[in-house]
Amino acid sequence: MRITITFLLLAMVQIVSSQNYRTLCNDGIKHIADGRYMDATECFHKATKLSSNDSERTYAYANLAYSQQMCGELHKALASYDMAIGDDKEKIALMLQRANILMQLDSLERALDDYNNILSKEPSNSGALFFRANIYSDMNEFDKAKEDYLKLLTLEPQNNNVKLGLAMLYKNEGKYNESMILLNILIESVPDRAEFYIARSSVERIMGQTELALMDVEKAIELEPENSNHYTLQSILLERLGKKEAAKQSRFKAAKYKNR
């Protein structure tokens, strides 16, 4: 009789624990939907303590990581993604999220490990290819970066972000003409993206074409008039041209919009 009662009590505890887990997760998802990420973090942190199997544990830690990420707590988010993934190399979606966090934390080697693992299983994963190419470019491994960018262009020939990445790779290699050709094509096809003008300006500055670089920065300001970085670039170029008063005004605007 005592044995039977003990088993019943254990079963009741498991049922209550399961119900509490589901309630916490449901509440956490509602908080995420409402943008209340601190509340979501609290719910999923409690849920991790009540998970009864690997699937529940993964779900709770993955949502905890996302909530922490949205709160700006990147190191905590990384730790939670580590818990969600564990030693399972098949959790591709979570690895992509973790690699994103690692890149924000400048842990490029660890991010590269995740992207390499993802691509070993999904060779055409465009997200992993794109970010791995960016990492290779930052590491000055230009041939590997170019290989990834070109593969991406065969998969997504209209992807302008890939073309921009390739243009910046050419710039870093010192192939300024190739970079300019790509950037000109991008600007002609999409004339309302400020970042393309800023990118072309960066090449023009290296080539000593200060006035052309200034014109591109001014176009970027026209498209994004409250971006403080554009005014900072404008002030640098105006200084180079000897326009000190205009440069001073640009620095004033940069400070104004940065503090907003």
Side-chain angles (χ1 to χ4, degrees), residues 154-195:
T154 64
L155 296 170
E156 302 177 5
Q158 303 305 317
N159 191 321
N160 288 330
N161 289 325
V162 176
K163 294 176 185 176
L164 178 61
L166 185 57
M168 292 297 95
L169 172 63
Y170 285 138
K171 184 194 81 167
N172 293 337
E173 284 186 299
K175 297 178 179 178
Y176 304 128
N177 289 332
E178 290 89 338
S179 182
M180 287 294 289
I181 288 169
L182 259 181
L183 290 168
N184 288 337
I185 291 171
L186 282 171
I187 288 171
E188 287 174 11
S189 62
V190 189
D192 59 350
R193 279 186 63 173
E195 63 186 309

Side-chain angles (χ1 to χ4, degrees), residues 144-249:
K144 290 181 179 179
K146 191 180 301 180
E147 183 179 346
D148 281 350
Y149 282 133
L150 292 177
K151 183 174 182 178
L152 269 169
L153 284 177
T154 64
L155 296 170
E156 302 177 5
Q158 303 305 317
N159 191 321
N160 288 330
N161 289 325
V162 176
K163 294 176 185 176
L164 178 61
L166 185 57
M168 292 297 95
L169 172 63
Y170 285 138
K171 184 194 81 167
N172 293 337
E173 284 186 299
K175 297 178 179 178
Y176 304 128
N177 289 332
E178 290 89 338
S179 182
M180 287 294 289
I181 288 169
L182 259 181
L183 290 168
N184 288 337
I185 291 171
L186 282 171
I187 288 171
E188 287 174 11
S189 62
V190 189
D192 59 350
R193 279 186 63 173
E195 63 186 309
F196 295 163
Y197 294 95
I198 294 298
R200 188 168 69 179
S201 172
S202 71
V203 180
E204 290 163 339
R205 290 200 305 274
I206 294 173
M207 297 174 72
Q209 299 171 344
T210 306
E211 291 185 356
L212 289 177
L214 180 60
M215 289 173 62
D216 274 340
V217 171
E218 287 172 347
K219 181 60 180 180
I221 289 172
E222 179 184 322
L223 293 169
E224 294 179 349
E226 296 187 5
N227 188 314
S228 64
N229 293 327
H230 298 343
Y231 292 104
T232 299
L233 287 175
Q234 186 185 45
S235 70
I236 293 170
L237 293 169
L238 287 168
E239 285 280 1
R240 286 189 185 180
L241 293 170
K243 300 180 180 181
K244 297 188 179 298
E245 185 57 36
K248 180 179 178 181
Q249 292 300 316

Side-chain angles (χ1 to χ4, degrees), residues 40-42 44-45 48 59-69 80:
T41 296
E42 185 177 347
F44 286 115
H45 180 72
T48 62
Y59 183 82
Y61 271 111
N63 281 286
L64 174 60
Y66 175 77
S67 301
Q68 290 168 328
Q69 182 178 354
S80 295

Side-chain angles (χ1 to χ4, degrees), residues 20-54:
N20 287 341
Y21 172 86
R22 288 197 296 269
T23 299
L24 286 165
C25 288
N26 288 338
D27 288 345
I29 293 297
K30 290 177 184 176
H31 291 322
I32 288 176
D34 293 336
R36 298 167 58 187
Y37 299 110
M38 287 297 294
D39 291 334
T41 296
E42 185 177 347
C43 287
F44 286 115
H45 180 72
K46 291 178 180 177
T48 62
K49 308 299 182 185
L50 298 175
S51 57
S52 58
N53 54 56
D54 183 64

